[in-house]
Amino acid sequence: MTREPTATVVVVCRDRWSLAPETVQTLLARTDPRHRIVVVDARAPRAVGAAFDRLAAVDHIDVIRRPRLLAGNEARNAGADAATTEWIAFVENDIVVSDGWLDALLAVGERTGAASVYPAFLEPADPEPVVHGLGAELEVKGPDGRRFVRERQHHLRRPWSDVAAGLAPVARVQAEPHVLLVRREFLDAMGGFDEGLLGWFDHTDVALHHLRLGAESWFAPGATCLYRSPPPVSWSDLSMFSLRWGRDWFDRSLTHLCTTWGLTPNDEEWETHARYRVAVRRGVFARWARVSAVIDHAVEPLDHLVAQRWDAHRA
């Protein structure tokens, strides 16, 4: 009798804590209980931490705590240290997964021998969810120090119901960071997640490791992940939001990525990410649409101070 594969689910903070209890409850309801869930609580607001403890008291989750806010890759590595299974599923704490999502990903991973597997990434829209990402091919060209990348995405912003029936599992090297199932062997070969990437370009870095190691990443459309981007942002989430979407973390992450992989920082590809960062930040001020740009510029010095304080705690 073939034994069903198991995985450890590691839940980390992206940019807000307020949605985390709901995300974990959904994971518990839609994940087979043979899979252990590990929640990384890195200075979550007190009410959120208390919600984690209540869930841990009655269900199959473990909570590991750290005394300061962690960037995404720091939290992923902390969670991975607590995992004992061959497969580890990294999940951000602002998403909604489909029922049976993890077993659908594991089935594709086991069948293909993939190093990593990921679902269809959707985002809310009216009247139905649209495609946020279905994985991308990544082209890298140019000499060392001036290399550039090009992403080829699929069906972006199209209604999910229009494309779902025509999709099949396929190898595409670059996933979104919201949900990613990874083999421990591949994670070790990467050297863990790069903690020099402070919430940006982590998915690009993982894709480049796939190319470097000749490893495959597979898209599995039998599972979905609904990503709920800001707004809203609660008062208790302002510090984490400021770090994740502030210019400081973006610029430092880009510099680190380019230095690590010999990429040019002047690639037009990065402008797409920069515009997205600004759009999300200003979306939080949407109720003051006419002056959202003014507000955005006005709070940049505050973002810098929050980043300096975070650096001091990290040191």
Side-chain angles (χ1 to χ4, degrees):
M1 182 175 180
T2 303
R3 184 178 180 182
E4 292 182 310
T6 58
T8 303
V9 182
V10 174
V11 185
V12 303
C13 183
R14 176 180 175 82
D15 52 29
R16 293 172 294 168
W17 290 102
S18 52
L19 297 177
E22 180 185 344
T23 292
V24 175
Q25 285 182 313
T26 303
L27 283 170
L28 287 166
R30 299 181 177 180
T31 306
D32 190 290
R34 76 178 188 279
H35 306 297
R36 176 182 171 219
I37 297 175
V38 175
V39 178
V40 181
D41 176 350
R43 206 178 175 185
R46 186 174 300 174
V48 173
F52 291 157
D53 289 338
R54 287 193 296 271
L55 290 169
V58 297
D59 241 312
H60 60 288
I61 76 168
D62 296 311
V63 181
I64 61 174
R65 290 194 157 92
R66 296 294 183 269
R68 64 175 179 85
L69 294 175
L70 299 180
N73 277 352
E74 291 181 314
R76 292 182 182 101
N77 285 336
D81 288 343
T84 58
T85 50
E86 176 188 0
W87 288 101
I88 308 174
F90 296 95
V91 176
E92 293 183 330
N93 68 358
D94 55 1
I95 56 92
V96 179
V97 291
S98 57
D99 193 26
W101 66 283
L102 184 50
D103 287 328
L105 297 183
L106 283 167
V108 172
E110 291 287 307
R111 177 174 60 82
T112 62
S116 65
V117 191
Y118 55 90
F121 303 104
L122 312 179
E123 59 184 78
D126 188 18
E128 62 175 298
V130 299
V131 172
H132 179 73
L134 303 179
E137 287 84 14
L138 197 67
E139 183 180 40
V140 185
K141 290 186 175 181
D144 188 45
R146 290 185 291 148
R147 303 169 78 197
F148 62 90
V149 299
R150 291 293 177 270
E151 299 176 3
R152 186 160 72 90
Q153 302 279 354
H154 300 267
H155 302 301
L156 290 181
R157 309 293 181 268
R158 288 190 62 185
W160 175 237
S161 62
D162 286 358
V163 301
L167 299 175
V170 63
R172 289 181 185 148
V173 72
Q174 181 171 277
E176 296 284 335
H178 313 292
V179 172
L180 182 64
L181 177 66
V182 181
R183 286 187 193 268
R184 164 69 77 175
E185 181 181 15
F186 175 71
L187 183 61
D188 290 343
M190 283 175 48
F193 291 101
D194 189 340
E195 297 184 4
L197 299 170
L198 305 176
W200 286 93
F201 308 111
D202 36 14
H203 64 309
T204 307
D205 181 72
V206 172
L208 290 170
H209 278 294
H210 278 83
L211 295 176
R212 176 180 68 86
L213 296 167
E216 286 191 335
S217 185
W218 275 69
F219 163 56
T224 64
C225 157
L226 185 71
Y227 164 50
R228 298 173 291 175
S229 65
V233 176
S234 68
W235 285 107
S236 61
D237 283 330
L238 285 178
S239 291
M240 194 67 211
F241 179 84
S242 173
L243 289 167
R244 171 63 178 86
W245 296 100
R247 184 167 182 174
D248 185 273
W249 273 22
F250 180 90
D251 289 347
R252 289 162 63 184
S253 297
L254 179 57
T255 297
H256 183 79
L257 181 80
C258 291
T259 300
T260 300
W261 293 100
L263 304 173
T264 174
N266 299 318
D267 189 350
E268 64 186 37
E269 187 73 31
W270 313 134
E271 290 300 316
T272 302
H273 295 274
R275 288 193 296 271
Y276 179 60
R277 181 191 73 82
V278 172
V280 171
R281 277 175 55 85
R282 294 182 182 178
V284 173
F285 311 124
R287 68 179 67 182
W288 305 288
R290 293 183 179 180
V291 293
S292 62
V294 175
I295 297 172
D296 185 39
H297 286 302
V299 299
E300 278 193 355
L302 179 59
D303 288 340
H304 186 63
L305 289 174
V306 172
Q308 284 184 321
R309 184 179 180 185
W310 181 83
D311 281 335
H313 288 166
R314 190 190 201 193

